[in-house]
Amino acid sequence: MQKNIFLLGIFIFLLSFQKEIIAQEKPSLVVGIVVDQMRYDYLTRYYERYGNDGFKRLLNEGYSLENAHFNYIPTYTAVGHTSIYTGATPDHHGIIGNNWYDKFLKKSIYCVDDSNYSSVGTDSDYGKKSPYRLATTTVTDQLLLAQNMRGKSIGIALKDRSAILPVGHTATAAYWYEGKDKGHFITSSFYRNDLPIWVTDFNKQQKAQYYTSKPWNTLYDIKTYKNSTADNSIFEGVFTGEELPIFPHDIPNLKKENGNLSIISETPFGNSITLDFAKAAIIGENLGKNKDTDFLAISFSSTDYVGHKYGVDAIETEDTYLRLDKDLADLLKFLDKEVGKGKYTVFLTADHGAIRVPAYLDSLKIPAKYFNTRKFKTFLDSVSTKHFKSTELVENFSNYQLFLDKEKITTLGLKLDDVAEIFANELINFETISKTVTAKTLRNTNFTKGILNVLQNGFHQKLSGDVLLIPNPGTISGKRTGTTHGSGFSYDTHVPIIFYGNGVKKGASKKHYEITDIAPTIANLLRIEAPNSTTGKIIEEVFK
């Protein structure tokens, strides 16, 4: 009898101890960090130059996935942010680009534009936004649902889409930057009808004016930037008004011809003002100070703007990451102080990578080309004329997708699937195209690996085009300076994923993981339901 009472006592003690441990493990605040256009190798390439308290702190004290990839095409900003937070690919969540052709409205649309709502904090239309085109829930939605709408979920970025899509439909707020002559953060009436006092106070500080009042010079002696090509490179872009892409960049005198306060986006200081605003949000909203878990989604966008202008190998890009490293160190120390060490969880990733400038690769005899839109249009018309005696069968070509004019095809007595197949068979012969596939094939065939599997994950039956094209590896559209992204090749898909803080162990993995694994992993950490269309898996090895 005494033995049974003793065992019962131990059981009750262990049960209460387990409950206490569970209560301790749940973070007060989750901070999701997306670094726009961050290739994985920026972690290793600049590692020796980083300080100990930014990227290195996350790597050395957190859990890093070294072989993580996006698993769909197209690798664009809106799609990336959405897939990270939904745990789903575009075939489920419905955000198939930044912009795409809407075959029902017969026009190109932008992913978060919504005229049903008004701007808050500005007299322009730049705040008329919402996440209504997002067809699924996000992990941030699921957190608030699990807490009976208690807690707060806030998105912050320079870009509207990068602030809005991560925090889904139930967010407390999303804030983004308006440049030009404004230089402040705004929102939409989708979230609220006025700016909180803390946002108004922040905007009054005129931080954008401060950051753009001085030249952009290198953080360290320019001779120490050995990981980058020479400063004056023909493969780099320039600001309007500059003759050469060299330091220092005279930001105060370049503002007038480069969008005034919008210029901050194309400098490392766009990340700094984002950090400043995030810190103001943590204090102003008391994030991490309540019984329920809060969520802060931060996107650092300047890395993308700088990358597009200068490319992967520029000193400007290296300098931007060295400065971002200091900003991350600042953020982590701030979280230690305001929320408390061990009381918050962070994950850091990117929305896509980037290709090295094809013109630079070509100069090194590495296969790399430019997709010539004008030549392609001529080729497309010749195919259409040859087979159908008409150039009016293609309604739109964008994002490497053909949208066919179904009414015209019917009028000519043709069948849509037959026309699509002819275009697919002919367009494969264009010089910079490596694969073509019809919507019918993607509907009826299950590709389980390779580039067609990645394309299929990005194909939305209702929204996508009738014929989809894949350019050759190393091929982009655009100028011969700077870089871009969008493909399903490794330079665009391989990105960092690091988990850090509450509930996360130290370590690293070389296993293959996908970007859609982040949301279910965070959901499991928080012990909530994953987003409703999640296809990713829980990364068990991340947890303590």
Side-chain angles (χ1 to χ4, degrees):
M1 183 68 177
Q2 288 180 336
K3 183 178 180 181
N4 290 339
I5 293 173
F6 175 74
L7 291 173
L8 180 61
I10 290 178
F11 176 77
I12 293 171
F13 170 78
L14 290 174
L15 187 63
S16 63
F17 180 74
Q18 183 185 32
K19 287 181 178 178
E20 184 179 349
I21 292 298
I22 289 174
Q24 289 175 349
E25 285 182 352
K26 194 171 182 180
S28 300
L29 176 66
V30 178
V31 181
I33 300 173
V34 178
V35 182
D36 203 320
Q37 203 187 115
M38 184 175 183
R39 292 162 52 113
Y40 172 79
D41 65 353
Y42 289 156
L43 282 179
T44 55
R45 188 177 187 180
Y46 308 139
Y47 183 83
E48 297 302 327
R49 306 210 70 194
Y50 291 141
N52 293 322
D53 301 318
F55 284 116
K56 281 186 179 178
R57 177 176 171 182
L58 295 175
L59 287 168
N60 296 334
E61 298 180 28
Y63 200 92
S64 174
L65 307 180
E66 299 176 354
N67 189 24
H69 290 262
F70 280 88
N71 55 335
Y72 60 79
I73 296 171
T75 44
Y76 294 145
T77 295
V79 196
H81 283 76
T82 306
S83 299
I84 290 164
Y85 282 88
T86 62
T89 43
D91 58 328
H92 291 290
H93 61 60
I95 302 298
I96 63 170
N98 294 333
N99 303 78
W100 65 87
Y101 182 71
D102 188 314
K103 51 191 174 185
F104 304 102
L105 298 176
K106 305 295 183 184
K107 67 177 184 178
S108 179
I109 56 95
Y110 178 60
C111 57
V112 293
D113 274 350
D114 191 346
S115 60
N116 292 311
Y117 296 95
S118 56
S119 301
V120 176
T122 180
D123 55 4
S124 73
D125 290 338
Y126 194 47
K128 292 183 175 182
K129 315 286 179 183
S130 87
Y132 87 95
R133 289 189 174 92
L134 172 59
T136 66
T137 62
T138 61
V139 68
T140 47
D141 285 326
Q142 296 296 151
L143 175 61
L144 294 191
L145 288 169
Q147 297 177 162
N148 199 24
M149 301 312 293
R150 296 186 303 273
K152 295 180 179 179
S153 172
I154 295 176
I156 292 170
L158 294 182
K159 298 179 181 179
D160 49 17
R161 58 188 180 271
S162 305
I164 292 168
L165 295 169
V167 287
H169 307 277
T170 61
T172 309
Y175 300 101
W176 53 96
Y177 178 77
E178 182 177 28
K180 298 183 180 179
D181 61 338
K182 302 290 197 323
H184 56 204
F185 283 84
I186 65 170
T187 190
S188 163
S189 62
F190 175 84
Y191 305 102
R192 53 184 302 137
N193 294 319
D194 57 2
L195 291 179
I197 293 174
W198 68 264
V199 177
T200 302
D201 289 343
F202 182 90
N203 287 336
K204 287 178 181 177
Q205 295 177 45
Q206 297 188 323
K207 294 235 175 190
Q209 287 85 340
Y210 165 74
Y211 281 122
T212 58
S213 67
K214 52 189 177 182
W216 173 18
N217 213 333
T218 51
L219 184 61
Y220 305 111
D221 185 338
I222 197 168
K223 295 177 183 177
T224 65
Y225 287 71
K226 302 296 185 182
N227 297 303
S228 304
T229 52
D231 189 26
N232 187 12
S233 170
I234 61 171
F235 306 115
E236 298 175 20
V238 295
F239 285 108
T240 301
E242 275 188 325
E243 293 184 6
L244 298 172
I246 59 176
F247 283 99
H249 298 286
D250 191 0
I251 302 302
N253 288 321
L254 291 169
K255 281 196 293 188
K256 184 177 180 181
E257 294 185 77
N258 292 273
N260 197 11
L261 296 173
S262 296
I263 198 173
I264 195 174
S265 299
E266 297 181 274
T267 75
F269 311 115
N271 291 332
S272 299
I273 196 172
T274 303
L275 169 65
D276 293 340
F277 190 76
K279 289 162 69 174
I282 292 170
I283 294 174
E285 298 287 349
N286 290 312
L287 299 182
K289 297 289 182 67
N290 304 302
K291 291 182 180 179
D292 299 292
T293 300
D294 297 320
F295 207 118
L296 178 63
I298 308 170
S299 183
F300 290 107
S301 306
S302 284
T303 42
D304 184 67
Y305 289 105
V306 171
H308 276 293
K309 183 178 288 291
Y310 296 104
V312 170
D313 297 290
I315 291 176
E316 284 82 357
T317 299
E318 181 175 351
D319 193 65
T320 298
Y321 277 90
L322 297 182
R323 290 177 181 274
L324 176 60
D325 180 58
K326 289 185 173 294
D327 285 337
L328 289 174
D330 187 356
L331 174 61
L332 294 173
K333 290 176 182 177
F334 183 82
L335 290 170
D336 290 341
K337 178 183 176 183
E338 293 297 324
V339 182
K341 272 192 173 183
K343 294 184 178 180
Y344 62 89
T345 302
V346 171
F347 69 82
L348 181 145
T349 188
D351 57 345
H352 52 74
I355 186 175
R356 280 188 158 86
V357 182
Y360 170 62
L361 294 174
D362 184 58
S363 74
L364 299 174
K365 298 182 173 61
I366 295 173
K369 302 292 181 182
Y370 288 86
F371 178 84
N372 189 312
T373 306
R374 187 176 298 176
K375 279 187 178 180
F376 178 79
K377 178 63 167 59
T378 301
F379 186 80
L380 180 63
D381 286 347
S382 70
V383 169
S384 190
T385 301
K386 172 185 173 183
H387 289 277
F388 311 113
K389 305 295 188 290
S390 172
T391 59
E392 299 177 359
L393 272 65
V394 177
E395 193 169 270
N396 179 268
F397 174 69
S398 55
N399 294 336
Y400 293 108
Q401 298 184 30
L402 262 65
F403 294 82
L404 299 179
D405 188 328
K406 297 172 179 58
E407 291 183 9
K408 183 69 175 180
I409 289 171
T410 301
T411 300
L412 293 175
L414 302 170
K415 293 182 178 180
L416 176 66
D417 289 341
D418 293 341
V419 173
E421 192 66 35
I422 288 171
F423 275 117
N425 289 337
E426 289 280 8
L427 295 180
I428 191 67
N429 297 313
F430 189 69
E431 55 187 356
T432 49
I433 294 298
S434 68
K435 286 180 172 58
T436 62
V437 62
T438 65
K440 180 181 179 181
T441 298
L442 292 174
R443 289 194 303 268
N444 298 335
T445 307
N446 182 29
F447 296 100
T448 58
K449 61 182 180 179
I451 197 72
L452 289 178
N453 166 254
V454 177
L455 182 70
Q456 191 167 49
N457 289 338
F459 170 74
H460 193 285
Q461 287 193 25
K462 188 173 184 177
L463 305 177
S464 297
D466 301 296
V467 182
L468 289 79
L469 286 61
I470 299 177
N472 295 334
T475 297
I476 66 170
S477 299
K479 300 179 295 185
R480 295 179 66 82
T481 58
T483 189
T484 192
H485 48 85
S487 80
F489 299 112
S490 61
Y491 45 79
D492 282 336
T493 67
H494 189 197
V495 296
I497 298 180
I498 310 171
F499 295 91
Y500 169 88
N502 185 300
V504 178
K505 70 181 182 183
K506 299 178 184 179
S509 174
K510 300 183 188 302
K511 296 178 183 177
H512 180 90
Y513 286 103
E514 295 173 338
I515 203 70
T516 48
D517 297 334
I518 293 176
T521 301
I522 291 295
N524 186 260
L525 174 71
L526 297 174
R527 294 179 299 285
I528 62 174
E529 184 65 27
N532 60 14
S533 286
T534 291
T535 55
K537 59 184 177 295
I538 296 168
I539 309 168
E540 297 179 38
E541 59 188 298
V542 163
F543 301 130
K544 287 182 178 178

